[in-house]
Amino acid sequence: MLENFRNHIDLHFPHLKEGKFLLACSGGVDSVVLAHLSASYELDFSIAHCNFKLRGAESDKDEELVRKLAIHLGKEIFVTSFDTQGYMAQHKTNLQIAARELRYNWFSQIMTTHHIKTLVTAHHADDSLETFLINLSRGTGIEGLTGIPSLTDTISRPLLQFSRTEIKTYAEANAIYWREDASNENTKYLRNNIRHNIIPKLKELNPNFLENFLKTQEYLGQTQEISNQHIVQLRKQLFSKEGKVEKVKATSLLALKPTKAYIFHFFREYGFTQWDDIYGLLSANSGKEVHSNTHRLLKDRDFLLLKPIALKNSGVFNIEEGQEVVSEPISLKFNIVEAIKETSSNIIYVDKETLKYPLTVRKCQKGDYFYPLGMSGKKKISKYFKDEKMDIFAKENQWLLCSGDHTVWIIGKRADDRYKITNRTKEILKIILE
């Protein structure tokens, strides 16, 4: 196994030979063997052990074994303990999720503090099979059937090609000591039930079941890669981006078959799960929305608009007379100039004497109106938004510069005629949106 491990590292994990990594070790056979294999290949690593304080003295004995292992291998070790039960109660989550969040958050802290780029874990082929069957039992797409990834940006799993039997055989042959976690025998947990009651039956049906499963996962992974490349290319064709907002024509999505499958692949990375609701948006009236925890998906005329959820900033910001620079909520500059020169949608010139200080920057309110520059009549700002075909996101993000109750400038859009420069103007104030 050591020779196969070395070849596997050389071929698929050469980065583990180039710098120190963090090796997560529970004290079980998988992670203890991984530590021995890595040390035998003279890889540079530190060991990290979490004591979840769930099994009393047994948890402390796990910690003791890992500390002795670190001394034996001559490796630096990081150890911590958690109030796991307290974390579960506080965050209202189950044991598996709590333990995962606690350990990976701690691993991340170590890696940041000590400038370590890679975490190495001891997941193996049987773990991947168990995950496959769990996901299969819950209902999943191809992503859930490709198993545990061997590589991510920060995590490497070099034992995924090895079975639990191979690992245990290596440990016994090399007199490697490890500790068994009695909770792994408790079949009330779905993973343990699958491990002890289902997988042995599958291996009885076909002695090569695990080997064939790994081949199947490899093929599924290749199919997923092809699918992902197709989605990326199609996304580039159909989606456009304006600032933080992405937009796609609803009819373009409806033309894709099967539509719901494409919707899933386009929007899953933004945390959406309401696929029927999103499909309904394609034919819904403007203004209808679907939310994930992080994003909003809005139907606006013929388009779906996607935008991150941001904290609403609906405050009023004052600008005092003589103030030249404003940074909140947007960047504005105020300068007295001799004459009108450069012009653009981001620059206006106003008659300073017509302003009432302090000026304010705020969002549009019901009933707001202005006198569009160059026109004699007034117009509701909501009507202006509609005529300009501004979507809901754009309306929500639009700031107004006001003098008292009057609008001076729909910032970046249109100035108010009441504040324009005339032959009676004594001071010209230039206002720039940066």
Side-chain angles (χ1 to χ4, degrees):
M1 183 178 179
L2 177 58
E3 188 63 28
N4 289 338
F5 178 80
R6 289 177 175 177
N7 292 337
H8 191 50
I9 295 294
D10 292 343
L11 186 60
H12 299 288
F13 300 87
H15 59 283
L16 297 183
K17 300 189 296 181
E18 298 168 1
K20 178 176 284 190
F21 56 86
L22 186 68
L23 191 151
C25 184
S26 66
V29 63
D30 313 324
S31 56
V32 170
V33 165
L34 177 58
H36 276 275
L37 290 170
S38 299
S40 296
Y41 199 17
E42 299 182 351
L43 301 178
D44 186 13
F45 63 95
S46 298
I47 293 173
H49 175 77
C50 304
N51 186 336
F52 292 100
K53 297 293 183 180
L54 293 171
R55 296 180 292 115
E58 293 300 307
S59 292
D60 295 334
K61 289 179 181 178
D62 293 346
E63 178 182 325
E64 182 183 353
L65 180 139
V66 177
R67 288 185 182 275
K68 289 180 179 179
L69 172 66
I71 294 171
H72 174 70
L73 299 179
K75 297 299 180 181
E76 177 184 30
I77 185 170
F78 301 97
V79 176
T80 193
S81 59
F82 299 115
D83 176 11
T84 310
Q85 296 288 357
Y87 184 91
M88 290 168 60
Q90 179 183 353
H91 295 271
K92 295 181 173 58
T93 188
N94 63 39
L95 175 60
Q96 286 73 26
I97 292 175
R100 176 180 175 81
E101 290 178 353
L102 285 167
R103 67 177 178 269
Y104 279 101
N105 288 341
W106 181 62
F107 293 153
S108 180
Q109 291 171 15
I110 295 173
M111 293 166 71
T112 299
T113 301
H114 296 273
H115 308 290
I116 298 173
K117 294 182 179 180
T118 303
L119 171 70
V120 172
T121 68
H123 294 92
H124 49 71
D126 290 79
D127 290 323
S128 193
L129 175 55
E130 291 163 12
T131 299
F132 172 93
L133 292 173
I134 289 171
N135 290 338
L136 184 66
S137 70
R138 292 172 175 168
T140 183
I142 191 171
E143 292 77 12
L145 301 180
T146 52
I148 304 169
S150 60
L151 275 172
T152 69
D153 291 339
T154 57
I155 302 177
S156 296
R157 300 180 175 95
L159 291 188
L160 275 179
Q161 77 160 16
F162 300 98
S163 69
R164 180 179 283 111
T165 299
E166 288 178 278
I167 293 168
K168 194 169 183 179
T169 299
Y170 180 85
E172 292 170 343
N174 290 273
I176 294 172
Y177 295 97
W178 73 89
R179 284 185 53 80
E180 294 286 358
D181 183 345
S183 66
N184 288 334
E185 302 299 317
N186 190 338
T187 56
K188 75 174 184 179
Y189 300 117
L190 178 60
R191 182 175 292 274
N192 289 348
N193 201 338
I194 289 173
R195 178 181 302 166
H196 296 296
N197 297 325
I198 296 177
I199 291 178
K201 297 293 184 183
L202 294 173
K203 291 180 178 179
E204 282 179 19
L205 292 173
N206 184 348
N208 297 320
F209 183 87
L210 186 58
E211 180 182 347
N212 292 340
F213 163 75
L214 292 177
K215 289 180 182 178
T216 299
Q217 279 210 314
E218 182 180 357
Y219 302 148
L220 285 171
Q222 293 168 356
T223 301
Q224 183 186 14
E225 188 173 343
I226 293 171
S227 171
N228 289 343
Q229 290 174 1
H230 170 65
I231 292 297
V232 167
Q233 292 302 316
L234 197 57
R235 206 176 198 289
K236 288 179 180 178
Q237 296 173 23
L238 300 181
F239 284 70
S240 60
K241 191 164 187 177
E242 298 174 5
K244 294 183 178 180
V245 178
E246 292 190 71
K247 61 190 299 186
V248 58
K249 206 162 188 178
T251 53
S252 297
L253 293 182
L254 282 169
L256 300 173
K257 305 299 181 184
T259 306
K260 287 185 181 180
Y262 279 100
I263 287 173
F264 169 79
H265 285 288
F266 285 140
F267 297 109
R268 62 184 174 133
E269 64 183 281
Y270 304 104
F272 290 100
T273 57
Q274 315 94 309
W275 308 119
D276 289 338
D277 292 341
I278 294 176
Y279 181 77
L281 281 185
L282 299 178
S283 55
N285 295 327
S286 290
K288 189 171 178 60
E289 295 187 39
V290 176
H291 290 191
S292 72
N293 288 332
T294 58
H295 285 75
R296 298 168 63 188
L297 192 60
L298 164 75
K299 178 66 179 300
D300 184 73
R301 298 178 177 86
D302 297 329
F303 291 88
L304 293 191
L305 306 183
L306 176 70
K307 181 187 177 184
I309 292 175
L311 293 176
K312 289 186 177 180
N313 194 341
S314 57
V316 177
F317 301 84
N318 290 338
I319 302 170
E320 302 297 335
E321 186 170 4
Q323 189 172 343
E324 295 184 350
V325 178
V326 171
S327 57
E328 189 179 17
I330 52 177
S331 295
L332 296 172
K333 280 190 174 181
F334 297 79
N335 298 308
I336 300 296
V337 296
E338 295 296 325
I340 297 174
K341 292 183 180 180
E342 58 177 326
T343 60
S344 77
S345 61
N346 289 339
I347 300 173
I348 65 167
Y349 297 86
V350 300
D351 186 334
K352 186 174 183 297
E353 287 188 348
T354 62
L355 299 175
K356 178 182 177 182
Y357 285 90
L359 303 179
T360 57
V361 175
R362 62 170 175 81
K363 295 291 180 67
C364 181
Q365 298 172 358
K366 187 176 181 180
D368 279 340
Y369 65 91
F370 78 127
Y371 289 77
L373 183 63
M375 297 176 61
S376 58
K378 70 178 181 179
K379 188 174 192 175
K380 282 190 174 181
I381 292 179
S382 59
K383 179 67 164 58
Y384 172 80
F385 287 165
K386 184 176 181 180
D387 291 346
E388 292 294 306
K389 297 184 177 179
M390 292 173 63
D391 61 64
I392 290 177
F393 291 154
K395 295 174 187 176
E396 291 176 351
N397 289 332
Q398 182 62 56
W399 291 98
L400 307 181
L401 177 66
C402 300
S403 173
D405 294 331
H406 294 171
T407 301
V408 177
W409 187 19
I410 301 176
I411 298 176
K413 299 289 185 183
R414 191 79 176 262
D416 190 296
D417 194 77
R418 291 170 291 181
Y419 300 92
K420 68 183 178 182
I421 306 302
T422 69
N423 55 12
R424 297 187 299 274
T425 299
K426 296 178 182 179
E427 277 191 302
I428 300 174
L429 182 64
K430 180 182 180 182
I431 308 175
I432 305 170
L433 170 65
E434 294 193 316

